[in-house]
Amino acid sequence: MLSARSMFQEILDNDESFRLFCSIAASGESQGGWENARIAALVPESQRRLAPKIVRHGADEDKHGRIFNALLRKRGLDPVDVPGEADYTMLLEKQGIGLAHDKLRADAPLTEYDIVSYLAHSRVTEQRASEQMRLLCKHFAEHPDLGRAVRMISNDEDNHLAYCHEELLRLAAAGHSRRIQRILRQSAMAEIRVYRDVSLAFMTHMGRILGWSGPKVAVLMTGIHLVYLFERLFGWRRMVTLSMPERRDALGGPATPATEFA
């Protein structure tokens, strides 16, 4: 029977598919760590109170990258280059999601509008990250190799999502409400297209590595297109709503260390 658990189990059991999975995850997390570190360094004076939380966000992302690389080392595997068509963060940047890297490499302070954009983009992408990690936790929280890693990362992603909600509500109350809603809607629509494209590319590579049959690949591809259609029509709304989270000040302290992994 084809299920999310059985598909992930196949990926985890094969060295080459596991290698690609962890390489993609590590690359995206490390990229997020760099981006947050640069944003924290360039925060405008009006939003300096956010800098420690952005630093914490970046430290968490760096930690996640190290965890995925440590999982590779534990199996004696080296990372592989991420295929361009499966590079979620790169494709998001091309769609205008996240602050441009040219801007982050410069030394000029960001604007308050940049910070609003950063938080709105993050609210959308952290929704996806939180959901994906919860799915992995559902099936592999007790896995001997992955269990502790997915539980830790899932908790961090929930913290990141809570932080985005709380800070965006603060900025909305300060007069940025219309701008935030506009950016959220645009970002959600762009993200669901990128997620579909990356999912199709990911499954194509996994099918090739694992020798999946044509009908199996066709079923998986159809499922991805159906998810995209649902998100395009209805599911995007979960990415644009804002509500005060139960976890208040979720990034108010230092990052949780992960010395047991890396």
Side-chain angles (χ1 to χ4, degrees), residues 5-27:
R5 180 181 176 85
S6 64
M7 181 190 68
F8 278 124
Q9 192 65 61
E10 278 192 78
I11 292 171
L12 298 179
D13 287 345
N14 179 280
D15 279 351
E16 286 306 307
S17 56
F18 182 74
R19 190 183 184 198
L20 180 59
F21 169 76
C22 286
S23 296
I24 291 173
S27 174

PDB file of all heavy atoms in Angstrom, residues 5-27:
ATOM      1  N   ARG A   5       4.139   7.173   4.936  1.00  0.00           N
ATOM      2  CA  ARG A   5       5.111   6.468   5.765  1.00  0.00           C
ATOM      3  C   ARG A   5       5.937   5.474   4.944  1.00  0.00           C
ATOM      4  O   ARG A   5       7.165   5.421   5.066  1.00  0.00           O
ATOM      5  CB  ARG A   5       4.413   5.728   6.905  1.00  0.00           C
ATOM      6  CG  ARG A   5       5.399   4.969   7.790  1.00  0.00           C
ATOM      7  CD  ARG A   5       4.739   4.203   8.906  1.00  0.00           C
ATOM      8  NE  ARG A   5       5.736   3.448   9.640  1.00  0.00           N
ATOM      9  CZ  ARG A   5       6.470   3.921  10.632  1.00  0.00           C
ATOM     10  NH1 ARG A   5       6.313   5.166  11.032  1.00  0.00           N
ATOM     11  NH2 ARG A   5       7.360   3.166  11.231  1.00  0.00           N
ATOM     12  N   SER A   6       5.272   4.702   4.086  1.00  0.00           N
ATOM     13  CA  SER A   6       6.000   3.702   3.306  1.00  0.00           C
ATOM     14  C   SER A   6       6.956   4.365   2.318  1.00  0.00           C
ATOM     15  O   SER A   6       8.069   3.868   2.090  1.00  0.00           O
ATOM     16  CB  SER A   6       5.022   2.791   2.561  1.00  0.00           C
ATOM     17  OG  SER A   6       4.269   3.514   1.602  1.00  0.00           O
ATOM     18  N   MET A   7       6.536   5.502   1.740  1.00  0.00           N
ATOM     19  CA  MET A   7       7.397   6.205   0.797  1.00  0.00           C
ATOM     20  C   MET A   7       8.636   6.746   1.504  1.00  0.00           C
ATOM     21  O   MET A   7       9.769   6.561   1.039  1.00  0.00           O
ATOM     22  CB  MET A   7       6.626   7.351   0.146  1.00  0.00           C
ATOM     23  CG  MET A   7       7.434   8.122  -0.882  1.00  0.00           C
ATOM     24  SD  MET A   7       6.583   9.622  -1.401  1.00  0.00           S
ATOM     25  CE  MET A   7       6.655  10.604   0.110  1.00  0.00           C
ATOM     26  N   PHE A   8       8.432   7.409   2.664  1.00  0.00           N
ATOM     27  CA  PHE A   8       9.570   7.926   3.418  1.00  0.00           C
ATOM     28  C   PHE A   8      10.473   6.801   3.889  1.00  0.00           C
ATOM     29  O   PHE A   8      11.696   6.946   3.917  1.00  0.00           O
ATOM     30  CB  PHE A   8       9.090   8.747   4.617  1.00  0.00           C
ATOM     31  CG  PHE A   8       8.720  10.160   4.287  1.00  0.00           C
ATOM     32  CD1 PHE A   8       7.461  10.650   4.584  1.00  0.00           C
ATOM     33  CD2 PHE A   8       9.625  11.021   3.685  1.00  0.00           C
ATOM     34  CE1 PHE A   8       7.107  11.959   4.282  1.00  0.00           C
ATOM     35  CE2 PHE A   8       9.294  12.323   3.384  1.00  0.00           C
ATOM     36  CZ  PHE A   8       8.026  12.798   3.671  1.00  0.00           C
ATOM     37  N   GLN A   9       9.877   5.666   4.258  1.00  0.00           N
ATOM     38  CA  GLN A   9      10.682   4.549   4.731  1.00  0.00           C
ATOM     39  C   GLN A   9      11.595   4.047   3.625  1.00  0.00           C
ATOM     40  O   GLN A   9      12.774   3.723   3.862  1.00  0.00           O
ATOM     41  CB  GLN A   9       9.788   3.417   5.217  1.00  0.00           C
ATOM     42  CG  GLN A   9      10.543   2.328   5.985  1.00  0.00           C
ATOM     43  CD  GLN A   9      11.132   2.845   7.289  1.00  0.00           C
ATOM     44  OE1 GLN A   9      10.406   3.297   8.163  1.00  0.00           O
ATOM     45  NE2 GLN A   9      12.456   2.784   7.418  1.00  0.00           N
ATOM     46  N   GLU A  10      11.080   3.980   2.407  1.00  0.00           N
ATOM     47  CA  GLU A  10      11.916   3.585   1.278  1.00  0.00           C
ATOM     48  C   GLU A  10      13.089   4.540   1.094  1.00  0.00           C
ATOM     49  O   GLU A  10      14.224   4.122   0.849  1.00  0.00           O
ATOM     50  CB  GLU A  10      11.081   3.567  -0.010  1.00  0.00           C
ATOM     51  CG  GLU A  10      10.258   2.334  -0.232  1.00  0.00           C
ATOM     52  CD  GLU A  10       9.714   2.298  -1.650  1.00  0.00           C
ATOM     53  OE1 GLU A  10      10.496   1.962  -2.569  1.00  0.00           O
ATOM     54  OE2 GLU A  10       8.530   2.611  -1.833  1.00  0.00           O
ATOM     55  N   ILE A  11      12.804   5.836   1.200  1.00  0.00           N
ATOM     56  CA  ILE A  11      13.849   6.848   1.035  1.00  0.00           C
ATOM     57  C   ILE A  11      14.907   6.706   2.116  1.00  0.00           C
ATOM     58  O   ILE A  11      16.112   6.786   1.852  1.00  0.00           O
ATOM     59  CB  ILE A  11      13.227   8.259   1.045  1.00  0.00           C
ATOM     60  CG1 ILE A  11      12.378   8.469  -0.218  1.00  0.00           C
ATOM     61  CG2 ILE A  11      14.307   9.336   1.160  1.00  0.00           C
ATOM     62  CD1 ILE A  11      11.545   9.733  -0.200  1.00  0.00           C
ATOM     63  N   LEU A  12      14.479   6.466   3.354  1.00  0.00           N
ATOM     64  CA  LEU A  12      15.416   6.366   4.470  1.00  0.00           C
ATOM     65  C   LEU A  12      16.246   5.086   4.413  1.00  0.00           C
ATOM     66  O   LEU A  12      17.400   5.076   4.865  1.00  0.00           O
ATOM     67  CB  LEU A  12      14.654   6.418   5.801  1.00  0.00           C
ATOM     68  CG  LEU A  12      13.875   7.702   6.094  1.00  0.00           C
ATOM     69  CD1 LEU A  12      13.168   7.590   7.428  1.00  0.00           C
ATOM     70  CD2 LEU A  12      14.791   8.906   6.076  1.00  0.00           C
ATOM     71  N   ASP A  13      15.687   4.028   3.861  1.00  0.00           N
ATOM     72  CA  ASP A  13      16.378   2.736   3.865  1.00  0.00           C
ATOM     73  C   ASP A  13      17.468   2.633   2.801  1.00  0.00           C
ATOM     74  O   ASP A  13      18.334   1.760   2.887  1.00  0.00           O
ATOM     75  CB  ASP A  13      15.370   1.600   3.662  1.00  0.00           C
ATOM     76  CG  ASP A  13      14.508   1.363   4.889  1.00  0.00           C
ATOM     77  OD1 ASP A  13      14.873   1.873   5.970  1.00  0.00           O
ATOM     78  OD2 ASP A  13      13.463   0.697   4.760  1.00  0.00           O
ATOM     79  N   ASN A  14      17.432   3.494   1.800  1.00  0.00           N
ATOM     80  CA  ASN A  14      18.399   3.443   0.708  1.00  0.00           C
ATOM     81  C   ASN A  14      19.432   4.555   0.887  1.00  0.00           C
ATOM     82  O   ASN A  14      19.081   5.715   1.078  1.00  0.00           O
ATOM     83  CB  ASN A  14      17.661   3.610  -0.625  1.00  0.00           C
ATOM     84  CG  ASN A  14      18.603   3.595  -1.815  1.00  0.00           C
ATOM     85  OD1 ASN A  14      19.245   4.599  -2.127  1.00  0.00           O
ATOM     86  ND2 ASN A  14      18.675   2.453  -2.483  1.00  0.00           N
ATOM     87  N   ASP A  15      20.710   4.200   0.829  1.00  0.00           N
ATOM     88  CA  ASP A  15      21.758   5.189   1.088  1.00  0.00           C
ATOM     89  C   ASP A  15      21.708   6.367   0.116  1.00  0.00           C
ATOM     90  O   ASP A  15      21.875   7.524   0.512  1.00  0.00           O
ATOM     91  CB  ASP A  15      23.139   4.530   1.026  1.00  0.00           C
ATOM     92  CG  ASP A  15      23.499   3.807   2.315  1.00  0.00           C
ATOM     93  OD1 ASP A  15      22.760   3.963   3.313  1.00  0.00           O
ATOM     94  OD2 ASP A  15      24.520   3.085   2.322  1.00  0.00           O
ATOM     95  N   GLU A  16      21.518   6.096  -1.165  1.00  0.00           N
ATOM     96  CA  GLU A  16      21.559   7.175  -2.155  1.00  0.00           C
ATOM     97  C   GLU A  16      20.365   8.111  -2.027  1.00  0.00           C
ATOM     98  O   GLU A  16      20.516   9.336  -2.150  1.00  0.00           O
ATOM     99  CB  GLU A  16      21.640   6.596  -3.568  1.00  0.00           C
ATOM    100  CG  GLU A  16      23.003   6.036  -3.918  1.00  0.00           C
ATOM    101  CD  GLU A  16      24.118   7.058  -3.699  1.00  0.00           C
ATOM    102  OE1 GLU A  16      24.024   8.180  -4.234  1.00  0.00           O
ATOM    103  OE2 GLU A  16      25.083   6.740  -2.980  1.00  0.00           O
ATOM    104  N   SER A  17      19.176   7.574  -1.787  1.00  0.00           N
ATOM    105  CA  SER A  17      18.008   8.438  -1.631  1.00  0.00           C
ATOM    106  C   SER A  17      18.084   9.205  -0.308  1.00  0.00           C
ATOM    107  O   SER A  17      17.741  10.394  -0.246  1.00  0.00           O
ATOM    108  CB  SER A  17      16.710   7.629  -1.716  1.00  0.00           C
ATOM    109  OG  SER A  17      16.703   6.578  -0.765  1.00  0.00           O
ATOM    110  N   PHE A  18      18.568   8.557   0.744  1.00  0.00           N
ATOM    111  CA  PHE A  18      18.749   9.227   2.031  1.00  0.00           C
ATOM    112  C   PHE A  18      19.781  10.346   1.896  1.00  0.00           C
ATOM    113  O   PHE A  18      19.619  11.441   2.462  1.00  0.00           O
ATOM    114  CB  PHE A  18      19.206   8.208   3.073  1.00  0.00           C
ATOM    115  CG  PHE A  18      19.378   8.769   4.465  1.00  0.00           C
ATOM    116  CD1 PHE A  18      18.276   9.087   5.248  1.00  0.00           C
ATOM    117  CD2 PHE A  18      20.649   8.967   4.997  1.00  0.00           C
ATOM    118  CE1 PHE A  18      18.432   9.598   6.528  1.00  0.00           C
ATOM    119  CE2 PHE A  18      20.815   9.478   6.273  1.00  0.00           C
ATOM    120  CZ  PHE A  18      19.699   9.792   7.045  1.00  0.00           C
ATOM    121  N   ARG A  19      20.820  10.081   1.142  1.00  0.00           N
ATOM    122  CA  ARG A  19      21.867  11.073   0.905  1.00  0.00           C
ATOM    123  C   ARG A  19      21.304  12.313   0.221  1.00  0.00           C
ATOM    124  O   ARG A  19      21.605  13.445   0.611  1.00  0.00           O
ATOM    125  CB  ARG A  19      22.941  10.424   0.040  1.00  0.00           C
ATOM    126  CG  ARG A  19      24.226  11.206  -0.140  1.00  0.00           C
ATOM    127  CD  ARG A  19      25.122  10.438  -1.085  1.00  0.00           C
ATOM    128  NE  ARG A  19      26.419  11.058  -1.245  1.00  0.00           N
ATOM    129  CZ  ARG A  19      27.247  10.805  -2.246  1.00  0.00           C
ATOM    130  NH1 ARG A  19      26.895   9.923  -3.170  1.00  0.00           N
ATOM    131  NH2 ARG A  19      28.416  11.405  -2.334  1.00  0.00           N
ATOM    132  N   LEU A  20      20.463  12.122  -0.792  1.00  0.00           N
ATOM    133  CA  LEU A  20      19.874  13.257  -1.490  1.00  0.00           C
ATOM    134  C   LEU A  20      18.891  14.001  -0.593  1.00  0.00           C
ATOM    135  O   LEU A  20      18.892  15.234  -0.536  1.00  0.00           O
ATOM    136  CB  LEU A  20      19.172  12.785  -2.770  1.00  0.00           C
ATOM    137  CG  LEU A  20      18.504  13.888  -3.592  1.00  0.00           C
ATOM    138  CD1 LEU A  20      19.516  14.946  -4.027  1.00  0.00           C
ATOM    139  CD2 LEU A  20      17.795  13.281  -4.808  1.00  0.00           C
ATOM    140  N   PHE A  21      18.073  13.259   0.133  1.00  0.00           N
ATOM    141  CA  PHE A  21      17.098  13.867   1.045  1.00  0.00           C
ATOM    142  C   PHE A  21      17.792  14.756   2.072  1.00  0.00           C
ATOM    143  O   PHE A  21      17.421  15.925   2.268  1.00  0.00           O
ATOM    144  CB  PHE A  21      16.307  12.762   1.753  1.00  0.00           C
ATOM    145  CG  PHE A  21      15.459  13.235   2.899  1.00  0.00           C
ATOM    146  CD1 PHE A  21      14.272  13.904   2.676  1.00  0.00           C
ATOM    147  CD2 PHE A  21      15.862  13.016   4.211  1.00  0.00           C
ATOM    148  CE1 PHE A  21      13.492  14.352   3.737  1.00  0.00           C
ATOM    149  CE2 PHE A  21      15.104  13.455   5.275  1.00  0.00           C
ATOM    150  CZ  PHE A  21      13.909  14.125   5.043  1.00  0.00           C
ATOM    151  N   CYS A  22      18.814  14.238   2.743  1.00  0.00           N
ATOM    152  CA  CYS A  22      19.512  15.010   3.773  1.00  0.00           C
ATOM    153  C   CYS A  22      20.298  16.167   3.168  1.00  0.00           C
ATOM    154  O   CYS A  22      20.401  17.238   3.781  1.00  0.00           O
ATOM    155  CB  CYS A  22      20.449  14.107   4.575  1.00  0.00           C
ATOM    156  SG  CYS A  22      19.602  13.004   5.723  1.00  0.00           S
ATOM    157  N   SER A  23      20.851  15.979   1.979  1.00  0.00           N
ATOM    158  CA  SER A  23      21.609  17.051   1.325  1.00  0.00           C
ATOM    159  C   SER A  23      20.700  18.225   0.987  1.00  0.00           C
ATOM    160  O   SER A  23      21.065  19.397   1.184  1.00  0.00           O
ATOM    161  CB  SER A  23      22.282  16.526   0.056  1.00  0.00           C
ATOM    162  OG  SER A  23      23.240  15.538   0.358  1.00  0.00           O
ATOM    163  N   ILE A  24      19.514  17.931   0.463  1.00  0.00           N
ATOM    164  CA  ILE A  24      18.558  18.991   0.143  1.00  0.00           C
ATOM    165  C   ILE A  24      18.151  19.723   1.414  1.00  0.00           C
ATOM    166  O   ILE A  24      18.119  20.962   1.463  1.00  0.00           O
ATOM    167  CB  ILE A  24      17.328  18.404  -0.576  1.00  0.00           C
ATOM    168  CG1 ILE A  24      17.712  17.926  -1.977  1.00  0.00           C
ATOM    169  CG2 ILE A  24      16.202  19.433  -0.646  1.00  0.00           C
ATOM    170  CD1 ILE A  24      16.596  17.170  -2.691  1.00  0.00           C
ATOM    171  N   ALA A  25      17.836  18.958   2.466  1.00  0.00           N
ATOM    172  CA  ALA A  25      17.411  19.570   3.727  1.00  0.00           C
ATOM    173  C   ALA A  25      18.521  20.410   4.338  1.00  0.00           C
ATOM    174  O   ALA A  25      18.297  21.541   4.784  1.00  0.00           O
ATOM    175  CB  ALA A  25      16.963  18.484   4.703  1.00  0.00           C
ATOM    176  N   ALA A  26      19.731  19.885   4.375  1.00  0.00           N
ATOM    177  CA  ALA A  26      20.863  20.607   4.970  1.00  0.00           C
ATOM    178  C   ALA A  26      21.158  21.889   4.212  1.00  0.00           C
ATOM    179  O   ALA A  26      21.431  22.939   4.815  1.00  0.00           O
ATOM    180  CB  ALA A  26      22.103  19.707   5.001  1.00  0.00           C
ATOM    181  N   SER A  27      21.115  21.830   2.889  1.00  0.00           N
ATOM    182  CA  SER A  27      21.403  23.006   2.081  1.00  0.00           C
ATOM    183  C   SER A  27      20.401  24.120   2.339  1.00  0.00           C
ATOM    184  O   SER A  27      20.772  25.285   2.527  1.00  0.00           O
ATOM    185  CB  SER A  27      21.389  22.626   0.591  1.00  0.00           C
ATOM    186  OG  SER A  27      21.537  23.777  -0.218  1.00  0.00           O
TER     187      SER A  27
END
